[in-house]
Amino acid sequence: MSGRIPIQVTVNGRARAFEVAAHHTLLEVLRDDLQLTGTKECCLVGECGACTVRLDGRIVDSCLVLAVEADGGEVTTVEGLASDGRLSRLQGAFLDEGAVQCGFCIPGQIVAADDLLRRVARPTVGEIQEGLAGNLCRCACYGQITAAVAAAAAAEAGAR
Amino acid sequence: MHAFSYERPATLARAVALLEAHGPEARVLAGGTDLIIRLRDGSLAPTVVVDLKRIAELEPGIREADGRLVIGATTVMTDIAADARIRRRFEALAEAAAVVGSVQIRNRATLGGNICNASPAADTAPALLVHGAVVVIAGPSGSRRIPIDGWFVRSGVTTLGRGELVTAIELPLPAAPMGSVHLRRTRRRGHDLASVTLCCGVDASGVTRLAYGSVGPRPVLAVDATGVLADRDAAPDARTGLLERMLAEATPSARSMRASPDYRLAMLRVLARRGVDIATARLAAAEGRR
Ligand SMILES: Cc1cc2nc3c(=O)[nH]c(=O)nc-3n(C[C@H](O)[C@H](O)[C@H](O)COP(=O)(O)OP(=O)(O)OC[C@H]3O[C@@H](n4cnc5c(N)ncnc54)[C@H](O)[C@@H]3O)c2cc1C
């Protein structure tokens, strides 16, 4: 298969069919073809996590996944976390804790933190640090980001 | 990234045929955490990329068969680190898989990719050496198996031939309990390739297996069958001399950016002693549980 390859991917709950070039990454297709620019392009070597998305239930660096590899799969980007224009509890916690400075890494941080909270309801500080080890913040808001994730977990537990 | 054609074979036979037909022009794609980076920086420029992830016979998974634990080549680190059998009986491998990259990387990085990429710093390599792993290979003339000790040649080079690919990695289930551990030094905590990796395994008969990486072109296995290293009451000089001989194959490069040769050699000795202590203690705990 060369040239453009037809693929089907469910993106943020919506089934989509489109064509991609074999050498285009999931990151490029999300941003350039689907205009989902919440997912950021940064290091392109899997170090920084700014391009983190959830693919078939697990987070990945979308810069290291070819778009064709997602064929038949389900992708959730940061745009898929808010519902009906309302921020998720986790997104709200990031604002409340002042975890956002320049904001560039935040979509990746939030997708990774959302994944952590799906796996571990009440993570320890150590578990939060490990869960977000693949997401760098050059503003160094790590303290606030960790606090936001812990606050979201506590709020979620309180709501149950 | 330059253009290439993408193949998604549904069977092993088709994958092997593609690899045989295209030879060095073809590249296997598993999790892509090494390959995509090299496609993007241009250091690899295959005309064909063969994705292994839709091959029926290569479904990821871990199963027990005939006294062995068989780990499919496309099994990712997340699943290896979480597997109860691996955590209980092959601790060094579970620990190695758990420190590869980040959550995002471990969700993609496969065991097959880690050994085929053959970086001297590959975290699972020393663990597989200590556990006596066997690499299962499919190729044009059928399948073959080789002990992991005969697999690594030098950085980026293995004994895999044209048209061949790895289908599984097998671990013989030890008859008697074994204690094992994976240790490494990185420049920072979290996300980093290791400056030194070391695994140690000690079994009930006193045999100690030490394997180390990131200190030469390929990971090295050294075995003490005398029982001296695992014997806490052995004369300190005897243990030191033995350890020196077992670590003698370490030849770290002065050109590596991660750490100086002196630092690596010093840390290798520290990790080796620590590894023997931890593996011995784990063996005692495992024997206590029996
Ligand atoms: C940010 C980052 C951090 C990392 N941290 C670590 C770390 O801490 N420790 C570590 O050991 N590694 C690390 N790595 C390296 C990498 O993630 C691992 O080596 C991983 O296991 C590679 O597996 P993969 O499935 O992604 O391989 P791929 O990239 O798909 O393939 C790697 C190579 O192996 C070949 N190949 C793959 N599978 C097979 C097969 N079954 N048969 C034949 N050939 C095959 C491919 O053709 C390619 O040449 C890191 C990588 C990144 C990007």
Side-chain angles (χ1 to χ4, degrees):
Chain A
M1 284 191 266
S2 53
R4 293 185 76 80
I5 306 168
I7 65 169
Q8 291 184 11
V9 185
T10 300
V11 184
N12 296 331
R14 193 174 139 211
R16 318 194 51 155
F18 46 94
E19 295 193 338
V20 295
H23 64 289
H24 282 181
T25 60
L26 180 58
L27 171 63
E28 289 170 296
V29 167
L30 287 172
R31 288 182 55 85
D32 301 342
D33 297 349
L34 305 184
Q35 272 78 53
L36 290 168
T37 52
T39 305
K40 300 302 180 209
E41 173 179 314
C42 184
C43 77
L44 295 177
V45 288
E47 295 278 356
C48 79
C51 67
T52 302
V53 301
R54 195 162 75 238
L55 171 61
D56 296 331
R58 288 186 167 182
I59 54 168
V60 300
D61 294 309
S62 61
C63 74
L64 296 183
V65 178
L66 298 176
V68 283
E69 293 182 79
D71 188 14
E74 259 182 60
V75 175
T76 305
T77 68
V78 70
E79 289 91 343
L81 297 185
S83 46
D84 306 324
R86 293 215 343 264
L87 295 182
S88 71
R89 212 184 289 279
L90 178 65
Q91 288 171 311
F94 267 66
L95 292 180
D96 294 343
E97 296 292 329
V100 180
Q101 219 176 108
C102 88
F104 191 80
C105 72
I106 296 300
Q109 302 277 4
I110 288 184
V111 174
D114 177 76
D115 169 68
L116 172 67
L117 295 180
R118 284 163 187 271
R119 290 182 287 116
V120 189
R122 289 303 294 273
T124 61
V125 168
E127 286 169 332
I128 296 172
Q129 287 171 346
E130 179 55 37
L132 297 180
N135 295 78
L136 303 185
C137 171
R138 301 316 300 266
C139 308
C141 294
Y142 296 109
Q144 292 89 336
I145 289 171
T146 305
V149 177
E156 187 69 43
R160 265 200 308 267
Chain B
M1 222 184 289
H2 84 112
F4 46 77
S5 71
Y6 170 80
E7 295 285 348
R8 193 161 65 194
T11 65
L12 195 53
R14 171 82 183 131
V16 168
L18 280 165
L19 294 178
E20 196 184 13
H22 294 280
E25 288 296 307
R27 271 283 159 175
V28 162
L29 169 66
T33 59
D34 284 311
L35 186 66
I36 305 285
I37 291 174
R38 306 217 33 207
L39 295 176
R40 188 181 280 116
D41 72 16
S43 61
L44 286 177
T47 56
V48 185
V49 168
V50 181
D51 189 349
L52 301 186
K53 291 189 296 297
R54 312 274 169 132
I55 297 177
E57 300 99 314
L58 289 192
E59 284 250 317
I62 303 165
R63 62 189 173 83
E64 250 180 86
D66 311 326
R68 291 160 301 169
L69 200 63
V70 184
I71 307 174
T74 58
T75 309
V76 297
M77 300 299 171
T78 300
D79 293 330
I80 292 170
D83 186 87
R85 293 158 295 185
I86 296 183
R87 290 165 71 111
R88 195 173 65 246
R89 309 190 70 169
F90 304 101
E91 265 178 296
L93 180 61
E95 289 175 337
V99 296
V100 169
S102 57
V103 176
Q104 288 92 323
I105 297 293
R106 292 191 289 279
N107 282 344
R108 291 301 276 182
T110 66
L111 185 60
N114 199 227
I115 66 163
C116 290
N117 192 60
S119 158
D123 274 295
T124 67
L128 294 175
L129 284 162
V130 158
H131 295 312
V134 171
V135 183
V136 189
I137 297 164
S141 46
S143 95
R144 66 183 178 103
R145 325 150 80 84
I146 68 160
I148 188 89
D149 203 20
W151 169 258
F152 297 105
V153 178
R154 60 174 186 278
S155 183
V157 182
T158 67
T159 49
L160 199 68
R162 182 179 175 130
E164 290 188 324
L165 58 90
V166 173
T167 58
I169 291 92
E170 296 182 346
L171 306 176
L173 289 163
M178 170 156 157
S180 69
V181 63
H182 170 271
L183 298 169
R184 67 176 195 166
R185 295 302 302 165
T186 51
R187 288 165 298 182
R188 58 195 177 86
R189 203 159 62 82
H191 212 192
D192 197 4
L193 281 177
S195 307
V196 188
T197 55
L198 179 132
C199 287
C200 180
V202 178
D203 72 18
S205 62
V207 176
T208 300
R209 298 165 70 86
L210 275 184
Y212 45 95
S214 240
V215 285
R218 63 187 201 99
V220 176
L221 173 68
V223 181
D224 166 40
T226 65
V228 170
L229 208 54
D231 178 4
R232 282 164 199 257
D233 301 325
D237 282 359
R239 292 181 88 200
T240 304
L242 189 56
L243 210 54
E244 285 304 313
R245 285 195 296 283
M246 291 174 80
L247 302 179
E249 273 191 68
T251 52
S253 157
R255 284 186 326 225
S256 165
M257 56 167 193
R258 280 199 297 279
S260 69
D262 285 350
Y263 176 80
R264 287 184 147 127
L265 291 176
M267 287 306 111
L268 182 64
R269 282 162 177 74
V270 172
L271 295 190
R273 286 177 180 281
R274 203 173 282 171
V276 173
D277 286 348
I278 297 172
T280 312
R282 286 182 176 176
L283 170 66
E287 286 179 318
R289 278 198 301 272
R290 291 230 296 178

